[in-house]
Amino acid sequence: MSSQDIPEENLPAERDHAHGAVGVADEKNPFADPGLPPHEHRIQDIDERAAKRSERAVAFLFTLSMLATVGFIASYVAIPHDKSVFIFPLGHISALNFALGMTLGAALFCIGAGAVHWARTLMSDVEIADERHPISAEPEVKAKVMADFRDGARESALGRRKLIRNTMFGALALFPLSGVVLLRDLGPLPEDKLRHTLWAKGKLLVNMNTNEPLRPSDVAVGSLTFAKPEGLEEHDHEFQTEIAKAALMIVRIQPDNIKDKRELEWSHEGIVAYSKICTHVGCPISLYEQQTHHVLCPCHQSTFDLSDGARVIFGPAGHALPQLRIGVNDEGYLEALGDFEEPVGPAFWERG
Amino acid sequence: MSNKDDRRKAPAGERVADWADGRLGIYSLAKANMRKIFPDHWSFMLGEICLYSFIIIILTGVYLTLFFHPSMNEVEYHGSYVPLQGQLMSEAFNSTMHISFDVRGGLLIRQIHHWAAVIFLAGMFVHMMRVFFTGAFRKPREINWLFGFLLFVLGMFTGFTGYSLPDDLLSGTGVRFTQGAILSVPIVGTYISMFLFGGEFPGGDFVARFYSIHILLLPGIMLGLVVGHLILVFYHKHTQFAGPGRTNKNVVGMPLLPVYMAKAGGFFFLVFGAIAAISGIASINPIWVLGPYRPDQVSTGAQPDWYMGFAEGLIRAMPGWEINIWGHTLVMGVFVPLVLFGVFLGMIAVYPFIESWVTGDKREHHILDRPRNAPTRTAFGVAWVTGYMIMLIGGGNDIFATHFHLSINAVTWFVRIGFFAGPVIAFVVTKRICLGLQRRDKEKVLHGRETGTIKRLPHGEFIEVHEPLSQEALYTLTSHEQYAPAEIGPTVDENGVERKVKRGEKVRVKLSKAYYGEESQIPKPTVEEYKEITSGHGHH
Ligand code: HEM
Ligand code: FES
């Protein structure tokens, strides 16, 4: 279609035509193709001593390679796998890894260098020209193929017997569905899984480091404390998946400094608990600046203001960190007063 | 070979070859290929680097499968790396620790595997640039361009699934990032995430699933593509740069046997040797420093392998917009980068077809363009690379900020503006440079090469002596093709009936003008111009 819209004259003249046949420069065309330049001999082509030197160089490289392989095996056997050496400027590195890498590298590199040197100095370097042939078939070939195809198509009667054709297409179109159906059990449906975490009313906030339930007095001003719900242990089968949603971040802020009303309500004596999982794409937040009460996600630098409802003040996160409503139980431990009210972590279509 | 005496006399090698020929027809195959000619240019080695690193990856990958356990069951570490002893980790991490510390040479193979992956992708990137800027993607090689494109994209995902396997703190963070990006997809995002991870993140399945994708599915497809890619290179025969004796109808160089057998075979060992040495010296992905993955822990300065850096940049630069309507959330801040990621890569795939549509050229092209002689294409390429590089910088915005003592805010804004302005500036500047170089070539052809010798004329003026170019040089500098911009054809047909000019045609004529109009190429010197200057008053 497109070739018809563009007239031939817009295409450049083909280079072979533009300058006529290969020939010497003449009065008529100083830009003519002078043809392949004459071959220039290398020193190895004319001086047998130089060729011998090249031969020795190649053999030397191949011999080095053999020695390096012996070195590799010797290192493998002799060097203990936990020995480290100091090598400037690399510092302390595994002696075995270094020795194996260098010997293997040398063994391979010398084979390569030998082969390339051999090719460059001793093998013929006379340039040869090969013809190219057009890729498209000749018109007769094409005509034959088209005729064959028409014969085949006619003999199959696919065009005439529509019933066969249509049911066949139907069958072929349907059967892959079985394959798709088989993928169903790859995973459960989302349902409301992303909306719930292990937090529930009465669950104690357990310090991630000490594994002890937290009291308000354990949360000092200016420090960032990480917590998990009581009952969730590292050895639990579902630990990774549960902590990926339940991880909590606790700080203490002077109640007067809390700007958000709901935040103040959901806090206990200025102690606030927020989801540790960034609302951008889910990294755990780990950096806290105590003067400003800003927390920073190290992955893409989203910054949240914990004194103002954890709203986003910088970076690619799209919404504030969810807050967990907390209080203190009869025994004086910090407890959750329910689950998060909104999903933690990255946003998704059904989040709303 | 019917004669018994003959058979007895034939050397063993020949007899084996005869045996194979009777079954496989190897002589006909060898006739066409054994002395096949390959042209020489340093940039033609880039593809070889890709091929060899791919082979190295497969060899070392198979070795790793002998020791790696693709399981997320939690175990306690009891290997010889003391700082992690007693810690809980997945079997995947545990077995990678085992490979690194308790299998002799295991660390070396792991590092070769990873270094080769990094080099494989870098090689493909540069190789692709070579093919692009020289116009080697033109007919008949468009399909091979697509094969290469697919290899690049699949290589990115193979690399990503690979470095996720050890289940360490860094790669887990990358997997989490991917899961967050999947969640952002409207309507189906949560479903895809649940199906991919077998439930909620991280679940207990993804290592095993990534494993079969990483070692079987993607490498299998890639192997097929690599073989297809090479068959097509053989079939089309290699392109060559213009030069005396090199035409569109021949290929000039040296034969496969013996020269390229030795050079290319030798080059495989050079690449392998270099990667082995690098892996002996430079550690890559030291998972023991990072520790096992925990969804509630993270290391600062987390960076993916370089080839994923531009995706990282897109996601860092995009403002965190979220649209909430009718109880649904459109997570623009994550979804837009995801789409841009696809679009940016997709541009690579479609470019050859756009250019051939603009030129309307249906001929075969076997002579490479010098980038300067295709200014608009070259400018597009440089614009794309600029966008890519700016995103790569964006992916390391924290590293740049701390390293150069800038505020992260400033770097992010630089990247945001740069994403739009950078490619435009690069386009304009590149085109100008190309035109400048074309002018210089023309100058050289018409007035000869500057010799650096200064001569004083009788009347006292100083001039630089210009030496006329050899015929080889003249040919090389003037043989490139130049298109004329397309025009809208007559709007009335033979019968005087007005024809409607289709929108497509208008767009194409516009593009063609932009590509080949007066502002976009310097008409190459003509024989007449040359003669007038050389025959006339010599130099001036
Ligand atoms: C085709 C391109 C491939 C690429 C780009 C690639 C890349 C990677 C990367 C970057 C890693 C992480 C290594 C680390 O630092 O720990 C990896 C791990 C691994 N790869 Fe590949 N790989 C490829 C093909 C293969 C093949 C064909 C196999 C096996 C037949 C394989 C087997 C493995 C195994 C078992 C691991 C995990 C062990 C470990 O991490 O030490 N890979 N791959
Ligand atoms: S995951 Fe926190 S900023 Fe991206």
Side-chain angles (χ1 to χ4, degrees), chain B residues 293-314:
Chain B
Y293 182 58
R294 277 271 302 256
D296 61 331
Q297 290 173 7
V298 69
S299 56
T300 48
Q303 283 292 315
D305 268 7
W306 78 268
Y307 44 88
M308 282 293 169
F310 102 98
E312 178 91 13
L314 286 169

Side-chain angles (χ1 to χ4, degrees), chain B residues 92-105:
Chain B
F93 189 91
N94 189 41
S95 62
T96 313
M97 287 298 288
H98 178 70
I99 294 173
S100 308
F101 287 97
D102 298 298
V103 176
R104 282 178 287 173

Side-chain angles (χ1 to χ4, degrees), chain A residues 47-316:
Chain A
D47 181 356
E48 180 54 28
R49 271 183 321 194
K52 270 265 180 282
R53 270 202 303 278
S54 286
E55 183 182 350
R56 277 196 299 274
V58 174
F60 173 71
L61 285 165
F62 287 160
T63 312
L64 263 188
S65 167
M66 291 191 257
L67 292 177
T69 299
V70 173
F72 181 92
I73 297 170
S75 313
Y76 187 94
V77 175
I79 302 179
H81 66 93
D82 52 2
K83 188 175 161 60
S84 88
V85 284
F86 182 82
I87 291 171
F88 182 80
L90 309 171
H92 286 279
I93 57 172
S94 154
L96 181 62
N97 187 61
F98 181 72
L100 293 181
M102 293 321 276
T103 48
L104 179 63
L108 295 164
F109 199 88
C110 288
I111 295 178
V116 171
H117 192 61
W118 180 12
R120 292 172 64 105
T121 57
L122 295 172
M123 293 180 187
S124 161
D125 71 337
V126 180
E127 284 193 317
I128 308 173
D130 243 1
E131 299 256 299
R132 287 182 195 276
H133 308 286
I135 290 169
S136 315
E138 300 291 326
E140 307 85 73
V141 176
K142 179 179 165 187
K144 165 92 172 84
V145 170
M146 298 311 273
D148 284 356
F149 177 76
R150 271 193 299 275
D151 291 347
R154 186 165 27 75
E155 284 163 26
S156 79
L158 198 69
R160 205 151 47 82
R161 303 205 186 279
K162 296 253 157 50
L163 194 59
I164 292 187
R165 192 194 62 184
N166 295 347
T167 48
M168 181 183 77
F169 284 165
L172 288 175
L174 277 189
F175 98 86
L177 279 184
S178 316
V180 176
V181 168
L182 282 173
L183 296 179
R184 168 61 190 86
D185 276 347
L186 274 177
L189 295 180
E191 289 162 339
D192 59 354
K193 294 191 181 62
L194 296 177
R195 298 190 174 273
H196 299 300
T197 71
L198 272 189
W199 291 108
K201 183 155 174 46
K203 281 241 164 135
L204 300 186
L205 279 58
V206 176
N207 187 327
M208 194 63 104
N209 290 332
T210 60
N211 221 9
E212 300 290 338
L214 283 161
R215 291 169 182 281
S217 56
D218 299 332
V219 183
V221 175
S223 69
L224 182 64
T225 311
F226 299 130
K228 61 180 183 180
E230 93 180 275
L232 180 63
E233 296 301 330
E234 268 199 5
H235 285 269
D236 291 349
H237 184 60
E238 291 289 311
F239 176 77
Q240 294 278 83
T241 306
E242 290 303 341
I243 199 70
K245 290 195 297 183
L248 209 60
M249 181 166 62
I250 301 167
V251 295
R252 189 192 274 273
I253 304 174
Q254 290 298 331
D256 318 339
N257 291 344
I258 296 181
K259 300 182 198 107
D260 186 84
K261 228 178 92 217
R262 193 183 76 169
E263 176 175 357
L264 190 61
E265 255 168 50
W266 286 13
S267 68
H268 176 80
E269 296 170 359
I271 299 176
V272 293
Y274 279 102
S275 164
K276 192 186 179 197
I277 307 300
C278 184
T279 58
H280 180 222
V281 286
C283 275
I285 290 163
S286 61
L287 303 169
Y288 177 54
E289 218 196 33
Q290 42 171 299
Q291 276 89 25
T292 55
H293 304 299
H294 291 173
V295 284
L296 174 83
C297 174
C299 282
H300 318 112
Q301 293 80 43
S302 287
T303 311
F304 304 85
D305 185 351
L306 288 196
S307 68
D308 190 10
R311 71 187 172 86
V312 186
I313 52 174
F314 178 76

Side-chain angles (χ1 to χ4, degrees), chain B residues 53-55 57-70 92 95-97 99-100 106 109-111 113-118 120-121 124 154-168 211 213-216 218-220 222-223 284-287 305 307:
Chain B
S53 37
F54 184 64
I55 295 172
I57 289 173
I58 292 183
L59 291 176
T60 50
V62 171
Y63 182 86
L64 291 175
T65 61
L66 304 178
F67 301 97
F68 180 72
H69 299 199
S95 62
T96 313
M97 287 298 288
I99 294 173
S100 308
I109 300 298
R110 238 194 92 220
Q111 300 203 138
H113 191 70
H114 203 142
W115 272 116
V118 169
F120 177 52
L121 277 134
M124 284 198 284
L154 293 180
M156 288 170 58
F157 286 104
T158 315
F160 170 73
T161 49
Y163 72 64
S164 302
L165 291 181
D167 199 23
D168 57 284
Y211 187 63
I213 294 173
H214 177 75
I215 71 157
L216 186 66
L218 295 180
M222 291 176 77
L223 191 61
I284 186 165
N285 199 11
I287 54 156
D305 268 7
Y307 44 88

